[in-house]
Amino acid sequence: MGYYNQTPNGRQPKPSHAGSFFAGVFGVLVGALLMWLLFSQAPGLLPGTESTNSGTQIQQQNREQQGASLDITTDVTKAVDEASDAVVGVSNLQTGGDFFSQSQEQAVGTGSGVIYKSEGDTAYVVTNHHVVDGASGIEVTLADGTKVDAQVVGSDIWTDLAVLEMSNEKVQGVVELGDSDALKRGEAVIAIGNPLGLEFSGSVTSGVVSGTDRAVPVDLDGDGTEDWQAEVLQTDAAINPGNSGGALVNLAGQLIGINSMKIATSQVEGIGFSIPINSALPVINQLEATGEMVRPAMGITLIDLAQVPSTYRDDTLNLTEEVTAGVVVSSVVPSSAADEAGMRQYDVIVEMDGEEIGDIIELRKHLYNEKQIGDMLQVKAYRNGELLEFELELTDNSTL
């Protein structure tokens, strides 16, 4: 078919054979060029190359679908590897049964513990007092699931610490002790334990040190009245029921705290507490050696001066503006060392044996780490704005 041109008089001209020829040739050339471009860009479409190139494409797709196998090691994984074998489960066994059935020991609660020492054929575990309280038997579950019978060597309700002993035949790891006094706010720490029981044994949570030298009120007998202020570290690493007695470690895998409790309300997130190892160690050593914790006592109850409202500082304590830190005597036990030395309610202790005392934790550290029962203690305290000196002969706290 040729091209037609319209003439002015309206008649159709005869077809042009030369135009038709050149149009056909042009079409063939354009078609050949398109085919060349197509096959040069997709050689797999050429006959004889389909199977080879399809195989190449399939191999490439397989390589893309295979995940890379990587051995990722971080400071956290190294610390967990160092410490995890020393973290155990601690089951509190108590005798149960009714009138018609034979009594037998049953697990009424499960917490955590840390193997801190292995000597001879005996391994020693530190845990919380409340984990083993009331137990007629103790069963320790090692990191590999092995169960070992253990005995309570000693327990201290005030610091919420207990020491267990057991055979070390199956023990695979002993934790290295760190220095909790060297911790900094914001330093990374890791909690290892058994939240909600042995089903989640060896669980790891991480966080930071939120605060050091915290004093947290504790009601020991459940009567709604504060009995003690626990000396603890604060962390945002998750500590759940069952983590009690477990390890808080630094990035070197060293034990720097014994996990103890958390604030559990709907308004609060990420506030957990751990007993600093430097505070726990004297208690652990004495429980291991004697089975009980006997402390030197002054015979007073205490409140941090920082917690006293300014109105009471002025009206009740009569302190000058220069006195910004110290410990207020809230009550004196009759016939105690403090009573016999002449100390009174509302005295504000600022110094012991020449060492400045800024809060309750510093007072207890000096009293429990530096003094023994029967020692003399030199105390300086403000009363109505006047600085007084007292000398106390420390007594056995169990006699109060």
Side-chain angles (χ1 to χ4, degrees), residues 15-24:
S16 173
H17 296 289
S20 299
F21 172 77
F22 286 113

Side-chain angles (χ1 to χ4, degrees), residues 156-186:
D156 179 46
I157 188 174
W158 298 100
T159 54
D160 196 23
L161 290 170
V163 171
L164 316 176
E165 64 178 8
M166 64 182 186
S167 169
N168 65 1
E169 182 180 357
K170 301 294 181 62
V171 169
Q172 297 179 343
V174 177
V175 78
E176 179 183 352
L177 302 183
D179 181 6
S180 56
D181 289 341
L183 291 173
K184 305 178 182 67
R185 284 185 301 164

Side-chain angles (χ1 to χ4, degrees), residues 280-291:
L281 199 54
V283 180
I284 293 170
N285 291 337
Q286 186 165 337
L287 290 176
E288 182 187 323
T290 67

Side-chain angles (χ1 to χ4, degrees), residues 26-301:
F26 179 74
V28 171
L29 291 176
V30 170
L33 178 61
L34 290 175
M35 292 297 292
W36 178 81
L37 290 174
L38 176 63
F39 286 121
S40 66
Q41 295 298 319
L45 298 177
L46 291 172
T49 63
E50 181 177 354
S51 60
T52 301
N53 289 317
S54 296
T56 302
Q57 292 174 356
I58 292 172
Q59 291 175 3
Q60 183 177 2
Q61 290 174 356
N62 287 340
R63 286 197 300 268
E64 292 174 352
Q65 291 173 357
Q66 291 175 353
S69 177
L70 301 177
D71 182 11
I72 298 177
T73 301
T74 66
D75 290 340
V76 172
T77 62
K78 289 179 181 177
V80 172
D81 286 342
E82 286 289 331
S84 58
D85 283 343
V87 181
V88 300
V90 178
S91 297
N92 183 322
L93 306 180
Q94 296 185 18
T95 302
D98 56 29
F99 180 79
F100 296 101
S101 62
Q102 185 177 0
S103 296
Q104 59 182 354
E105 286 188 328
Q106 303 174 356
V108 298
T110 302
S112 305
V114 188
I115 303 172
Y116 69 91
K117 181 179 180 180
S118 181
E119 187 174 78
D121 58 358
T122 303
Y124 295 90
V125 177
V126 58
T127 185
N128 287 147
H129 164 82
H130 74 262
V131 170
V132 300
D133 188 28
S136 57
I138 298 293
E139 185 176 71
V140 169
T141 304
L142 303 180
D144 64 357
T146 302
K147 296 185 182 299
V148 182
D149 290 334
Q151 297 77 42
V152 177
V153 177
S155 187
D156 179 46
I157 188 174
W158 298 100
T159 54
D160 196 23
L161 290 170
V163 171
L164 316 176
E165 64 178 8
M166 64 182 186
S167 169
N168 65 1
E169 182 180 357
K170 301 294 181 62
V171 169
Q172 297 179 343
V174 177
V175 78
E176 179 183 352
L177 302 183
D179 181 6
S180 56
D181 289 341
L183 291 173
K184 305 178 182 67
R185 284 185 301 164
E187 181 175 342
V189 289
I190 305 155
I192 309 176
N194 309 303
L196 306 181
L198 296 177
E199 182 180 357
F200 300 104
S201 63
S203 292
V204 174
T205 56
S206 63
V208 298
V209 175
S210 305
T212 59
D213 295 334
R214 299 296 199 213
V216 177
V218 179
D219 176 14
L220 299 176
D221 54 13
D223 64 355
T225 302
E226 175 188 330
D227 300 303
W228 179 259
Q229 287 190 318
E231 178 186 344
V232 292
L233 300 169
Q234 180 187 336
T235 179
D236 66 347
I239 297 175
N240 295 295
N243 275 117
S244 295
L248 190 71
V249 302
N250 59 19
L251 290 184
Q254 298 172 324
L255 182 68
I256 48 88
I258 307 298
N259 298 327
S260 180
M261 55 185 167
K262 65 179 292 185
I263 295 179
T265 68
S266 59
Q267 295 84 14
V268 176
E269 291 184 7
I271 299 183
F273 299 106
S274 183
I275 305 165
I277 192 61
N278 287 18
S279 300
L281 199 54
V283 180
I284 293 170
N285 291 337
Q286 186 165 337
L287 290 176
E288 182 187 323
T290 67
E292 59 180 348
M293 187 63 194
V294 180
R295 299 179 177 86
M298 298 172 64
I300 55 178
T301 59

